[in-house]
Amino acid sequence: MKAEGHPEYHMITVKMTDGTEFQTRSTWGNEGETLALEIDPTSHPAWTGGKQQLQEGGRVAQFNKRFGGLSLKK
């Protein structure tokens, strides 16, 4: 294997949105840098079960709004 074909791993600090920090190995940045996350599993609604933002004006919703009361039965 060629040595120059692999990324350099080094220790960085990851700072979560709630202020907690942990160290891990990564190819991001340089040795000792801090990666501050804007969204993480402790704050994102997809992981916390919070309110999901639904699209109320989507194409299916518009179709149902216009034609939802129609039926083929006499």
Side-chain angles (χ1 to χ4, degrees), residues 30-46:
N30 296 319
E31 179 82 28
E33 285 190 31
T34 300
L35 174 63
L37 299 178
E38 295 176 6
I39 298 175
D40 63 17
T42 61
S43 66
H44 195 277

Side-chain angles (χ1 to χ4, degrees), residues 56-70:
E56 294 180 10
R59 291 200 178 267
V60 174
Q62 288 176 355
F63 179 85
N64 288 334
K65 186 176 180 181
R66 283 181 75 184
F67 305 109
L70 297 178

Side-chain angles (χ1 to χ4, degrees), residues 2-70:
K2 295 180 181 178
E4 66 272 358
H6 299 281
E8 178 186 336
Y9 282 97
H10 45 268
M11 294 300 290
I12 65 164
T13 302
V14 178
K15 184 175 183 180
M16 307 288 269
T17 56
D18 63 356
T20 59
E21 296 181 353
F22 65 92
Q23 289 196 338
T24 187
R25 289 179 45 162
S26 175
T27 58
W28 179 86
N30 296 319
E31 179 82 28
E33 285 190 31
T34 300
L35 174 63
L37 299 178
E38 295 176 6
I39 298 175
D40 63 17
T42 61
S43 66
H44 195 277
W47 288 286
T48 61
K51 181 181 176 187
Q52 298 285 329
Q53 291 185 357
L54 298 176
Q55 205 179 40
E56 294 180 10
R59 291 200 178 267
V60 174
Q62 288 176 355
F63 179 85
N64 288 334
K65 186 176 180 181
R66 283 181 75 184
F67 305 109
L70 297 178

